[in-house]
Amino acid sequence: MRILKIQTLRGPNYWSIRRHKLIVMRLDLETLAETPSNEIPGFYEGLVEALPSLEGHYCSPGCHGGFLMRVREGTMMGHIVEHVALELQELAGMHVGFGRTRETATPGIYQVVIEYLNEEAGRYAGRAAVRLCQSIVDRGRYPKAELEQDIQDLKDLWRDASLGPSTEAIVKEAEKRGIPWMQLSARFLIQLGYGVNHKRMQATMTDKTGILGVELACDKEATKRILAASGVPVPRGTVINFLDDLEEAIEYVGGYPIVIKPLDGNHGRGITIDIRSWEEAEAAYEAARQVSRSIIVERYYVGRDHRVLVVDGKVVAVAERVPAHVIGNGRSTIAELIEEINQDPNRGDGHDKVLTKIELDRTSYQLLERAGFTLNSVPPKGTICYLRATANLSTGGTAVDKTDEIHPENVWLAQRVVKIIGLDIAGLDIVTTDISRPLRELDGVIVEVNAAPGFRMHVAPSQGIPRNVAGAVMDMLFPNEQSGRIPILSVTGTNGKTTTTRLLAHIYKQTGKVVGYTTTDGTYIGDYLVESGDNTGPQSAHVILQDPTVEVAVLETARGGILRSGLGFESANVGVVLNVAADHLGIGDIDTIDQLANLKSVVAESVYPDGYAVLNADDRRVAAMAEKTKANIAYFTMNPDSELVRKHIQKGGVAAVYENGYLSIVKGDWTHRIERAEQIPLTMGGRAPFMIANALAASLAAFVQNVSIEQIRAGLRTFRASVSQTPGRMNLFNLGNYHALVDYAHNPASYEAVGAFVRNWTSGQRIGVVGGPGDRRDEDFVTLGKLAAEIFDYIIVKEDDDTRGRPRGSASELITKGITQVKPDARYESILDETQAINKGLDMAPANGLVVILPESVSRAIKLIKLRGLVKEEIQQQ
Ligand code: ATP
Ligand code: ATP
Ligand code: MG
Ligand code: MG
């Protein structure tokens, strides 16, 4: 077996609209292509021995053990690899359930699709599954040690990629509210929402969190001073820079017990509390010095440690934090008890999990000593032995929810404190003996205010009710159930995507909104080019969706991107499907036009249920997509008598129809005429029917988004397909006594489209300079030849510079074959070099004739035309 390719899908895709995270492996079964599992001696037994848990896979028999039954009876190796890859992830703690296996048109080559939670783990699992199966085929077994290593590696990948408990809580809440989110490429920034409506977070800081508040909170001494000045109870203390000042400082705070901590520390690092002697104080000073130059000396306040979380001015959760400790059972030593606690799967390293493993430090031994224990002591049953002085979760502490217990006065105080410091999200550390009574009464203090407080003690307390604190954050960032989205209009089809995308963006601009759009020529925001290149995949979509200025996204969505990585967004408000015609067949395992239709239908199917799929009623495969989408349907048609559209309108639907020379929106009993085709430059005076169809699609997509008829009309009238705006799309040049047309048409449907215009050219002879990209199928070239024979009076057959792997001369031979098949007496010649071919065409141009150039390089063709002297680009004059 050999893996030929692994692709990672991250959005709605060919295999599933709902499952966005899929790995697609192209697998060559090689010698196993003809051998089902039952014919491989010992395979079933070896597989069951290696992965007994496969018993749990139902598969097609639909019952426990169903999959293994299939293995015993005989199934192909691709299918087994799929199940093994899923099971490996499952064993590493990642719950995935979706898989598909299909043989491609090439016998023995399979596509194996598996779900993943983490991309890298998914790819790893795919490769490991192939390794495992191959090993069982070759040797009857897969070594246990290797399997264990695989699972460990998968676990590591999963852990390394995890977001951390606070961020995890936030994105989960976003998902629950239908707010899209993505990870940005640096600083662990998370974007919630799209375009102009997006918000950013980094851990629990938001883009609203003020820098002054954060800096103040990080400076514990300044915080205390500001709070003390407002009458807030804070620890009595001072800051020193030299050991010499320590004695005086201790006196100043009123003598022992004291606390010593670094001025700008966190996570309890370098802190010693409850210091009762000069020796301890000196040691504590040194420990704090490791973390910070300046040292805080404070009075020690007896009490429990509380964390009060304030979001958007309101207390949303309160937790009591209990320092790391073990409870004696009368049998085990303290060391054993620690060992046992650290086995808890909820405890991880650092902030990975809801709790952190207990590690001992200097103060641990001090505490044990004070209690009269060593690590080897066996404490009596029920005795609590504290192992850390401070209660930070990151030093092994636990948390108990106290949200319902806090006294209203303390709520008031906490909220006021956070306002004073100036933070939108803050965690207050309060030391008091009883949080249900006012601080004032108990000599409680606010020890510090934390910016970017962790959420894990609130969302997953060791005891008490978990609090949805991320919900409070979302309420703040996205009040009134805002979704954070911007309208997304996605355009697909075999031909006309770029033109329609540009036109739609242009129409939308009439509303005054900032439109971001992506096309095969580049990515644009408003009137400016962001990046040139073929930008029709998910990455370019992200450029637009991440942009803080974009109010509307119009995305050309091409087949290649959907196939390679899925859509770059979860759902669109409008999905336009222009047409489905033979092109690119045989590439990427899309071999038939119906498969191509299924692929393009992803755009229609991933429209929000309250959005619109804008479908071509005249293309039967596109019209049929109406059955597959949950969205509303809007049809466009060139045929005013379309039965499908008539019925649709009767049922209350909306449509765009070309009728009596007008582009019109039809809804209910009303026909709203937008504009006469003749008045729309793009349609070349109404002579290019396919452009009318594109204009109908764009108008309808805008209309269902509530763009007014007037604005649509203004857009249609002012959009010019000039060379600068749409190079290579019906660029017509006036060369004095003849015209030249440059167009990108390169598949049968677009030849036909251009042909419809050329046939309307009746003033003189029509010369075609034709060819096509070398990676298309043989029969496609023959078809191109046939079409050319029907469209042109004289044909010059040329080839692309880049033959895409095809022997030079082969494409032109096939085109010639097509030409002579339909018109044995056709006038034609072959000039393989594109430049020479174009020049020949222009040289022989007859008076009032039209030279149609369908080039590989549009810019070169235009240059050659311009070399002919005074050229007027004569496009779509009204
Ligand atoms: P974090 O940022 O993780 O909350 P930190 O390193 O910033 O911790 P502090 O919050 O200042 O440190 O102190 C840690 C803990 O030590 C407090 O939550 C409290 O339990 C205890 N503590 C600190 N100062 C005092 C004090 N003056 N009296 C009593 N306990 C104190
Ligand atoms: P690509 O897949 O190369 O990005 P595209 O779908 O973006 O193509 P456009 O660039 O808009 O398409 O148009 C390319 C050519 O396709 C046009 O110049 C024209 O020849 C033809 N074409 C455009 N619209 C249609 C249509 N609605 N039907 C058939 N052919 C069309
Ligand atoms: Mg603290
Ligand atoms: Mg395009």
Side-chain angles (χ1 to χ4, degrees):
M1 258 183 306
R2 200 154 55 94
I3 299 173
L4 302 176
K5 188 156 62 174
I6 297 187
Q7 285 175 317
T8 312
L9 309 183
R10 306 182 183 91
N13 59 76
Y14 183 61
W15 302 93
S16 172
I17 299 299
R18 221 160 41 80
R19 318 251 181 182
H20 299 173
K21 297 178 163 191
L22 300 178
I23 300 290
V24 183
M25 266 201 298
R26 196 161 194 267
L27 192 61
D28 185 349
L29 294 192
E30 298 184 309
T31 52
L32 293 168
E34 313 263 295
T35 323
S37 52
N38 59 328
E39 291 175 20
I40 307 169
F43 185 84
Y44 171 80
E45 293 75 16
L47 184 66
V48 173
E49 196 197 323
L51 285 176
S53 50
L54 281 173
E55 182 73 25
H57 290 216
Y58 282 37
C59 195
S60 49
C63 59
H64 197 75
F67 167 68
L68 286 179
M69 210 152 85
R70 296 274 316 270
V71 176
R72 191 158 40 187
E73 285 164 3
T75 184
M76 296 313 290
M77 199 51 73
H79 179 210
I80 299 173
V81 165
E82 171 204 322
H83 280 267
V84 169
L86 291 175
E87 185 57 24
L88 288 175
Q89 296 182 78
E90 197 71 38
L91 290 173
M94 293 171 272
H95 302 298
V96 288
F98 180 87
R100 287 274 179 284
T101 302
R102 295 268 174 284
E103 189 168 17
T104 66
T106 321
I109 296 191
Y110 283 73
Q111 282 181 304
V112 177
V113 181
I114 49 167
E115 196 180 2
Y116 66 82
L117 291 186
N118 169 251
E119 285 182 29
E120 279 184 65
R123 287 191 289 266
Y124 185 113
R127 283 191 290 264
V130 170
R131 225 183 317 118
L132 184 146
C133 292
Q134 189 71 55
S135 165
I136 297 176
V137 170
D138 296 342
R139 290 180 284 281
R141 55 189 289 272
Y142 189 61
K144 228 189 166 60
E146 274 188 50
L147 181 65
E148 276 164 14
Q149 186 63 54
D150 286 336
I151 292 171
Q152 190 54 48
D153 288 350
L154 285 167
K155 281 184 180 166
D156 291 349
L157 287 170
W158 176 225
R159 195 204 49 225
D160 293 350
S162 72
L163 291 168
S166 301
T167 307
E168 185 78 37
I170 286 162
V171 301
K172 278 230 176 82
E173 182 63 21
E175 280 172 5
K176 212 171 82 193
R177 295 176 182 219
I179 297 169
W181 66 274
M182 46 187 139
Q183 242 175 320
L184 301 186
S185 48
R187 305 205 57 145
F188 304 103
L189 284 165
I190 299 284
Q191 173 176 327
L192 301 158
Y194 290 142
V196 70
N197 293 330
H198 88 233
K199 299 281 156 52
R200 276 188 197 161
M201 293 199 70
Q202 185 185 59
T204 63
M205 280 192 289
T206 74
D207 44 19
K208 274 204 214 155
T209 306
I211 183 80
L212 291 185
V214 174
E215 296 214 322
L216 183 53
C218 287
D219 181 342
K220 290 184 185 178
E221 184 56 22
T223 300
K224 275 196 331 191
R225 247 187 261 162
I226 297 278
L227 292 182
S230 306
V232 175
V234 292
R236 178 175 173 81
T238 181
V239 176
I240 58 170
N241 288 308
F242 303 100
L243 187 58
D244 285 352
D245 298 332
L246 183 55
E247 213 176 327
E248 199 182 318
I250 296 172
E251 218 166 283
Y252 170 75
V253 304
Y256 302 113
I258 60 160
V259 170
I260 291 184
K261 52 184 164 183
L263 179 60
D264 45 11
N266 55 34
H267 304 318
R269 269 194 295 266
I271 298 186
T272 313
I273 65 172
D274 195 12
I275 298 165
R276 301 183 196 171
S277 68
W278 175 250
E279 290 70 43
E280 284 175 12
E282 262 188 318
Y285 181 88
E286 283 313 317
R289 243 346 241 276
Q290 306 290 320
V291 181
S292 160
R293 226 187 88 72
S294 302
I295 308 296
I296 294 179
V297 179
E298 269 175 7
R299 199 186 122 196
Y300 173 65
Y301 291 80
V302 181
R304 302 159 185 254
D305 188 339
H306 299 86
R307 172 55 71 84
V308 177
L309 182 68
V310 178
V311 176
D312 198 19
K314 289 182 281 298
V315 168
V316 297
V318 179
E320 180 185 334
R321 301 189 291 177
V322 183
H325 63 275
V326 291
I327 303 174
N329 60 11
R331 291 188 318 275
S332 315
T333 64
I334 291 182
E336 286 163 352
L337 291 168
I338 295 172
E339 180 65 30
E340 197 178 304
I341 279 201
N342 283 346
Q343 295 295 323
D344 180 350
N346 284 325
R347 288 196 187 251
D349 300 314
H351 289 265
D352 285 355
K353 299 254 179 87
V354 290
L355 293 173
T356 305
K357 291 195 166 127
I358 298 178
E359 278 177 30
L360 302 180
D361 77 342
R362 189 177 53 88
T363 59
S364 316
Y365 296 100
Q366 257 173 24
L367 283 168
L368 287 174
E369 202 183 307
R370 273 190 203 168
F373 291 128
T374 70
L375 279 182
N376 295 323
S377 317
V378 177
K381 197 166 176 193
T383 310
I384 299 179
C385 307
Y386 286 103
L387 297 165
R388 294 297 278 241
T390 59
N392 307 72
L393 291 194
S394 52
T395 56
T398 50
V400 183
D401 178 68
K402 297 273 179 182
T403 310
D404 296 329
E405 286 168 38
I406 186 170
H407 191 276
E409 184 175 323
N410 294 343
V411 169
W412 165 81
L413 182 65
Q415 292 177 173
R416 177 167 165 255
V417 162
V418 171
K419 265 249 158 67
I420 292 168
I421 301 300
L423 286 169
D424 59 344
I425 300 178
L428 270 63
D429 289 341
I430 297 182
V431 172
T432 180
T433 45
D434 186 355
I435 197 74
S436 69
R437 290 173 56 197
L439 279 197
R440 235 174 349 100
E441 288 176 14
L442 304 174
D443 197 20
V445 284
I446 295 187
V447 172
E448 72 155 341
V449 177
N450 293 282
F455 284 179
R456 58 179 180 156
M457 64 198 94
H458 308 299
V459 295
S462 333
Q463 267 179 56
I465 305 173
R467 304 286 168 175
N468 181 15
V469 296
V473 175
M474 288 302 138
D475 287 342
M476 170 174 75
L477 296 178
F478 301 100
N480 310 320
E481 294 177 26
Q482 285 167 16
S483 68
R485 300 194 205 115
I486 57 171
I488 297 178
L489 298 90
S490 167
V491 179
T492 196
T494 299
N495 291 304
K497 295 180 293 298
T498 301
T499 312
T500 307
T501 300
R502 281 178 168 279
L503 175 59
L504 180 51
H506 181 77
I507 291 173
Y508 233 120
K509 281 186 207 162
Q510 312 304 313
T511 65
K513 292 232 159 67
V514 176
V515 184
Y517 59 103
T518 59
T519 70
T520 358
D521 307 322
T523 303
Y524 299 79
I525 294 176
D527 296 330
Y528 299 102
L529 175 70
V530 175
E531 201 172 18
S532 62
D534 184 347
N535 297 345
T536 52
Q539 269 165 0
S540 327
H542 280 177
V543 171
I544 295 298
L545 297 175
Q546 277 170 14
D547 194 274
T549 65
V550 170
E551 297 177 278
V552 179
V554 183
L555 308 171
E556 174 174 351
T557 308
R559 164 207 133 273
I562 307 177
L563 210 50
R564 229 178 9 256
S565 26
L567 293 186
F569 48 88
E570 215 162 277
S571 304
N573 300 72
V574 178
V576 181
V577 187
L578 295 169
N579 42 53
V580 177
D583 195 10
H584 296 101
L585 291 183
I587 301 176
D589 290 317
I590 297 296
D591 300 304
T592 68
I593 190 161
D594 287 314
Q595 286 174 331
L596 189 62
N598 281 337
L599 182 61
K600 297 205 182 285
S601 135
V602 171
V603 167
E605 287 173 63
S606 32
V607 175
Y608 290 114
D610 63 351
Y612 276 88
V614 170
L615 303 177
N616 185 347
D618 306 337
D619 183 318
R620 117 184 121 74
R621 289 188 184 82
V622 176
M625 292 176 193
E627 299 298 320
K628 295 207 272 177
T629 178
K630 294 194 181 70
N632 302 300
I633 306 297
Y635 285 117
F636 63 94
T637 177
M638 294 292 286
N639 171 14
D641 302 321
S642 162
E643 191 59 14
L644 175 67
V645 173
R646 200 181 52 76
K647 282 194 184 135
H648 172 70
I649 293 167
Q650 259 172 10
K651 279 189 279 175
V654 56
V657 182
Y658 182 51
E659 46 87 25
N660 302 311
Y662 282 89
L663 282 76
S664 301
I665 298 285
V666 184
K667 199 181 171 191
D669 297 333
W670 298 96
T671 297
H672 306 271
R673 287 191 161 166
I674 308 171
E675 187 53 284
R676 278 177 75 80
E678 273 172 28
Q679 302 292 328
I680 299 171
L682 181 72
T683 70
M684 316 196 73
R687 284 177 299 179
F690 68 94
M691 286 301 195
I692 300 177
N694 295 343
L696 284 173
S699 303
L700 185 56
F703 182 80
V704 297
Q705 278 290 113
N706 299 319
V707 178
S708 73
I709 298 272
E710 290 68 34
Q711 285 163 333
I712 296 173
R713 179 179 305 128
L716 291 176
R717 276 181 170 223
T718 52
F719 184 78
R720 277 163 216 279
S722 64
V723 175
S724 58
Q725 272 184 324
T726 55
R729 283 151 202 117
M730 300 301 279
N731 304 140
L732 186 61
F733 299 88
N734 184 343
L735 289 110
N737 65 343
Y738 69 98
H739 283 70
L741 177 80
V742 179
D743 190 89
Y744 248 145
H746 55 246
N747 56 38
S750 54
Y751 265 50
E752 240 158 330
V754 174
F757 171 79
V758 176
R759 284 197 198 94
N760 286 337
W761 191 276
T762 43
S763 58
Q765 280 209 331
R766 298 153 297 196
I767 297 171
V769 182
V770 307
D775 58 358
R776 303 308 200 273
R777 301 171 306 180
D778 285 2
E779 61 255 48
D780 296 332
F781 288 100
V782 177
T783 311
L784 291 187
K786 287 182 183 168
L787 289 170
E790 284 165 358
I791 299 169
F792 300 110
D793 303 309
Y794 190 88
I795 304 162
I796 301 171
V797 182
K798 54 92 197 172
E799 286 190 355
D800 289 359
D801 297 355
D802 175 3
T803 60
R804 305 195 189 186
R806 189 174 272 280
R808 172 109 4 244
S810 144
S812 74
E813 217 166 90
L814 292 163
I815 295 176
T816 310
K817 191 167 135 196
I819 295 174
T820 47
Q821 262 179 25
V822 289
K823 234 194 218 176
D825 59 342
R827 293 165 54 219
Y828 70 92
E829 67 182 302
S830 286
I831 303 177
L832 298 191
D833 178 73
E834 188 166 290
T835 303
Q836 285 176 25
I838 292 172
N839 277 332
K840 176 71 192 287
L842 296 174
D843 287 344
M844 66 184 292
N848 299 323
L850 175 67
V851 182
V852 177
I853 303 166
L854 309 176
E856 175 188 21
S857 162
V858 166
S859 55
R860 178 172 60 193
I862 291 171
K863 219 181 275 164
L864 291 172
I865 291 170
K866 291 199 167 157
L867 279 177
R868 302 267 151 175
L870 242 195
V871 179
K872 196 165 119 234
E873 190 193 340
E874 179 197 87
I875 315 211
Q876 313 104 15
Q877 253 60 282
Q878 294 169 16

